[in-house]
Amino acid sequence: MSQLKKGALLSYVKMILTNIVGILLTPFIIKSLGSSEYGVYLLVGSVVAYLGLMNLGIDNAIVRYVAKYKVKNDKVGEQKFLGTTMWIYIIISFFLTIIGIIIYFNLESIFANSLNADELEKAKIMFAILVGNIAIAFPGGTFMAICQGYENFVFPNTMSIIKYIIRGLAIICLLLLGGKAISIVVLDTILSVSTILIAAIFVTKKLKIKISLKIYDFSLVKDIFSYSLWVFLFGIVYNFQWRSGQVILGITTDTATIAIYGVGIMLGGYYGAFSGGINSVLVPRATQMVFNKSDGKSLTDFMVKIGRLNAIILFMVLSGFILFGKIFVELWVGKAYEKAYIIALLLMIVMTLPLIQAFGNSILEARRKNRFKSLLSIFTVSIAILFSYYFSETNGVYGVIIPLVIAMFINSIVMTFYYKKIFGFKIIFFLKNTMAKPLIVNSFLTVITYLILKQTIIDSWFMFGIYTLIFGIIQVTLSYTILMNNYEKSLILNLLKSKRQSKK
């Protein structure tokens, strides 16, 4: 099995594991910390995430340029490039620390109206630790980006899987022993540093790549930033989409409201991860196709190949969440978090088309044509944030999420036509061959199941498990027999064969 297929498979394992661990841990964390401290934990994480934007999109540039140097077999150019990016990261980490110190001493004035004295004290400690974490993680991220550029997806995904397992078990132990949010932040920092050290050893020993601060070429800086600038700007927008709500609610409401919104955002993020298994390994492949001057039809065909798999998976998850999501949230974290279901559902619906078309974004990055997407998102999301802030005091979580969802919807429609302009994307052909059948089949199944569930009361995990299991079996059966083509069926059969052989 190729690194691409293994990487995609492990990405799905990682995604499933992340979702399961998150689903199992979240109610335990909320119960252990309380809604107030959990809200503070989410709020600080959202604030620090904005400092993480000082990455400036360089990780994406590393993936693209390393893939390019690999195709050209240019080891000298690769060494100069990596030495240059490492120097850039060191300088960025220095300035990040300075900015972090300034924000640290102003946290009290920023959140004076929403956090009490005890919450502010905890927030400051967590903030200081997380800033240090990011300052170290910036240069360390180079090693994982190199692995992706070399299309070596097994190692980083395996590391992530091991990290999630250790983190989940460690959090349970810490909270059972009386630990609080600060303990979780310290744990995450230790795991982050450990992962970086192991990745550095792998890149040096296995991939035979050495990064030296003595070998650099600062003439590359302009070229690096000309590419990464637009990735960076889109990263800003992306973080505002997912993090601004917590910060806005942290200023205008209270920590309990932040916790509800955070749970909804978390579930929406899990949905996005269902397509991430394939999408995370696409940038190097897109780069190679662009350098090989593939035409619009070839690129669209590959988008269809990837998009079909994404569409089948996403519509299965979306229809299941429409039917069982509200019951799940109530059983999972309690009826107090009922609004989280609406937040998550809105996000899932509006994210579906962009996730199915994800390879198009990889093509834009490879062709260095992502400027328009960044500018479009900056415009629409900035307006949405202004509306969110205005409506948050009177409408709470709904006042924040609805403007953001509208902005995301506009972006997805506009970008569909932009793909057509840039590389001859065949819109009707793509939609017909990816979304049409999964949408029709799952819509029909959802309506029938909804009518049955109207006559049923599901008030326990046992009943929930029985009904979702039956629904899942029907979904999988219909997807395999009706939706999947011969190529997709062969992928599943080959996967099952390889598992049987490995057991023998």
Side-chain angles (χ1 to χ4, degrees), residues 168-187:
L169 294 173
I171 286 177
I172 292 171
C173 293
L174 284 173
L175 296 181
L176 287 175
L177 292 171
K180 292 296 182 181
I182 294 172
S183 304
I184 298 176
V185 171
V186 171
L187 171 66

Side-chain angles (χ1 to χ4, degrees), residues 26 30 38 42 258-267 332-333 337 340:
T26 300
I30 293 175
Y38 182 67
L42 293 178
I258 298 169
I260 293 170
Y261 185 84
V263 169
I265 291 291
M266 182 192 304
L267 291 172
W332 182 43
V333 287
Y337 286 78

